[in-house]
Amino acid sequence: MDTITPLKSISSIGSSTSQNRGRSHGQQSPSQGQLLKALVIEAKGDNRFVLDIGGNRQAVRSEATLSPGQSLRLQVIKTEPQIELQIVSNSLNQFQGRSLTLLGKNIDLSNLFQTFQKHAPSPLENVSPASRSTLESFFSLQQNGVEGKEGGVILKQLIDNLGLNLEQLLARGNKSSAVNTLKAALLEIAHSFNKASNIVETTNKILASLELFQLTQLQVGNDTHLIFPLPLPFIEQGYLIIEQGENDSESNDSVTSENRFSLHLTVSGLGNLQIDFLQNLEGLFIRFRASDQEKADFIETFSTDLKKTITDIPLISLSFSGDAPDPIHDLVRQLAPEGNSILDTKI
């Protein structure tokens, strides 16, 4: 494990993830498990270097071989008695050669439970109570519909229980929360049944999708763009992107902010679909982008029903077009913006 120890106290650093959104950007004290971006500015010899961490220059010591211009991703693994950082940038390499067709695949436990049913006794009887409860609860939630006001609550529960923050929870010593996540349960299944190829294969596919979404958020690396998979069985592929303005984390009055989010989906019968939402002081603007104009016209026939459903905020505009992008291609762009590759070749 390559670690980095700052030579002086870090009083405030910018965040690379969303876990400290309640504080002003760039002004939060480092917390255990926090992910950061850094750039090697200077190598001074004797294992001493100067890094730019969140816009602040920091003298550090490390046994790792670092070169000026090298980009790093760091995780805070200790805060007492002094800050200690772990280099996690090379975690990108684990995805080299992995098929990008896994990107955005729906996280559906149906196939895994069908695989369990082919074995007697059920493999679930041999896993820990926490993992068994997590898997059964998650699968049960996925079978519920998301219509009506309770749909948002169910979706939030599913996303919260995925374990996208598993490593941060473990780094902070919060094992009780970590073991109750889907990712922790799947890791236990993959380890416990490594000789049952059908179980391991199905489990690893779900784990790969989870890890790729973790990678995407790490690659985006800021507090204003949050990316979440949508683990709903009726969606073939899907994720949510939330864009937050700079003033969102500084104001308790959400009405003063401009809120943007978009759904990127592939749905059986409709194909690719992107739904963009903008809420500001005027009201709500919604744009539906379907895979072609015929499907856009079909969706538009339900606009009256939609207008009747939205009652708590003025609906200013509804628009429909047939130019929806492929959600997978869009997710790849989050991983590798134009001019960059998925893997940082400077590392």
Side-chain angles (χ1 to χ4, degrees):
M1 178 179 69
D2 291 329
T3 59
I4 290 177
T5 304
L7 297 179
K8 63 179 180 178
S9 175
I10 300 178
S11 58
S12 63
I13 47 180
S15 173
S16 215
T17 64
S18 60
Q19 61 177 307
N20 290 313
R21 295 198 307 272
R23 305 174 188 171
S24 300
H25 182 71
Q27 296 299 316
Q28 52 266 63
S29 298
S31 58
Q32 194 170 19
Q34 185 175 347
L35 293 170
L36 310 167
K37 278 188 173 182
L39 179 68
V40 181
I41 301 297
E42 185 180 353
K44 289 181 168 293
D46 193 26
N47 297 322
R48 293 183 300 122
F49 305 89
V50 176
L51 304 184
D52 183 307
I53 305 176
N56 297 321
R57 292 203 172 200
Q58 185 72 42
V60 303
R61 182 182 298 279
S62 177
E63 297 293 331
T65 302
L66 305 178
S67 303
Q70 182 177 353
S71 296
L72 302 173
R73 286 174 179 80
L74 310 174
Q75 184 171 43
V76 181
I77 58 174
K78 288 175 61 178
T79 57
E80 298 291 343
Q82 65 185 101
I83 298 289
E84 188 170 317
L85 308 169
Q86 177 182 346
I87 299 175
V88 295
S89 54
N90 288 335
S91 63
L92 292 174
N93 293 333
Q94 67 181 295
F95 296 98
Q96 188 171 19
R98 182 172 290 183
S99 173
L100 289 181
T101 58
L102 288 172
L103 280 169
K105 284 294 186 182
N106 189 29
I107 299 169
D108 182 4
L109 298 189
S110 298
N111 288 338
L112 182 59
F113 272 81
Q114 289 173 7
T115 304
F116 288 160
Q117 292 171 1
K118 296 177 182 178
H119 295 260
S122 172
L124 282 177
E125 296 180 10
N126 298 313
V127 300
S128 67
S131 292
R132 182 167 62 250
S133 176
T134 297
L135 289 166
E136 291 175 342
S137 297
F138 196 93
F139 181 64
S140 177
L141 277 175
Q142 285 191 317
Q143 308 315 303
N144 293 330
V146 291
E147 300 84 3
K149 295 182 179 180
E150 295 301 316
V153 177
I154 292 173
L155 180 57
K156 184 178 185 303
Q157 284 182 287
L158 287 169
I159 293 175
D160 287 346
N161 293 337
L162 285 171
L164 298 175
N165 62 340
L166 174 66
E167 289 74 15
Q168 290 94 321
L169 290 172
L170 290 173
R172 293 197 296 266
N174 191 353
K175 185 178 179 181
S176 59
S177 296
V179 298
N180 291 309
T181 63
L182 177 64
K183 184 176 180 182
L186 292 172
L187 287 170
E188 182 181 340
I189 292 289
H191 176 73
S192 300
F193 301 96
N194 56 356
K195 294 183 180 180
S197 58
N198 54 349
I199 293 178
V200 172
E201 181 181 357
T202 305
T203 302
N204 282 340
K205 284 181 179 179
I206 304 173
L207 280 170
S209 291
L210 283 172
E211 289 167 354
L212 283 165
F213 274 104
Q214 289 180 295
L215 170 64
T216 306
Q217 185 62 60
L218 182 60
Q219 189 78 346
V220 171
N222 59 51
D223 289 340
T224 60
H225 286 73
L226 308 176
I227 302 175
F228 301 104
L230 297 173
L232 300 171
F234 61 86
I235 297 177
E236 294 179 10
Q237 298 167 337
Y239 55 93
L240 166 69
I241 297 181
I242 301 174
E243 298 181 40
Q244 300 188 127
E246 287 294 329
N247 61 331
D248 285 2
S249 61
E250 300 172 4
S251 171
N252 292 324
D253 186 1
S254 61
V255 180
T256 64
S257 304
E258 190 173 79
N259 300 310
R260 297 174 181 267
F261 64 95
S262 58
L263 297 169
H264 299 249
L265 313 170
T266 299
V267 182
S268 178
L270 287 177
N272 298 335
L273 183 63
Q274 181 173 325
I275 311 172
D276 300 316
F277 298 82
L278 167 63
Q279 179 187 352
N280 58 23
L281 291 173
E282 296 181 57
L284 180 64
F285 300 77
I286 305 177
R287 178 178 62 176
F288 288 85
R289 302 170 66 185
S291 55
D292 57 54
Q293 193 57 48
E294 182 181 359
K295 291 185 175 67
D297 293 339
F298 171 74
I299 295 171
E300 189 173 3
T301 62
F302 296 93
S303 58
T304 301
D305 296 331
L306 178 60
K307 290 175 182 177
K308 291 179 180 178
T309 301
I310 301 174
T311 58
D312 56 348
I313 186 172
L315 180 59
I316 304 302
S317 173
L318 273 177
S319 62
F320 303 85
S321 63
D323 59 346
D326 186 301
I328 299 305
H329 291 168
D330 261 18
L331 193 59
V332 171
R333 285 197 304 105
Q334 301 295 332
L335 276 169
E338 187 175 354
N340 295 316
S341 63
I342 289 179
L343 296 179
D344 191 341
T345 56
K346 291 186 293 182
I347 295 177

